[in-house]
Amino acid sequence: MMKLYLDVCCLCRPFDDQDQFIIRQEADSVQEIFTMSSNSVMLIGSEMIDEEIFRISHIQKRELVMGSTQLMQEYVRIDETIK
């Protein structure tokens, strides 16, 4: 199984303004990765992702993005080794 760590920019893409073609394409790609997460892709979350999501000022978008973290199958905690 392939492990993927998507940054918060990727996690936000499905919830960004879809008026621009490139943003729609990127959002579709992220959605496809979300779909694959139960079969061939393992999504990795982290404390850093949580921290960045917490900084999203738009409350509704923050909640939507936080909801996508429910797909994460592995979680990385920041420790001295990582720092």
Side-chain angles (χ1 to χ4, degrees):
M1 182 171 288
M2 182 187 330
K3 293 183 176 186
L4 288 178
Y5 182 92
L6 300 177
D7 66 13
V8 175
C9 180
C10 293
L11 297 176
C12 285
R13 205 41 111 197
F15 311 108
D16 289 338
D17 183 356
Q18 302 293 306
D19 287 342
Q20 293 181 23
F21 179 72
I22 189 71
I23 292 175
R24 271 195 319 276
Q25 284 186 312
E26 291 170 354
D28 289 345
S29 296
V30 172
Q31 290 288 71
E32 183 64 27
I33 290 169
F34 288 166
T35 301
M36 294 168 51
S37 70
S38 60
N39 297 322
S40 57
V41 173
M42 177 184 290
L43 295 176
I44 310 299
S46 73
E47 286 181 301
M48 194 66 230
I49 285 177
D50 294 345
E51 179 64 30
E52 288 184 41
I53 291 172
F54 180 73
R55 294 180 185 170
I56 297 172
S57 59
H58 189 276
I59 295 169
Q60 185 179 15
K61 184 174 183 177
R62 180 173 60 229
E63 290 173 355
L64 290 168
V65 175
M66 186 57 85
S68 70
T69 65
Q70 300 301 312
L71 298 171
M72 306 301 175
Q73 298 159 298
E74 191 172 305
Y75 192 81
V76 177
R77 298 209 181 277
I78 298 172
D79 60 17
E80 290 304 314
T81 304
I82 292 173
K83 287 180 183 178

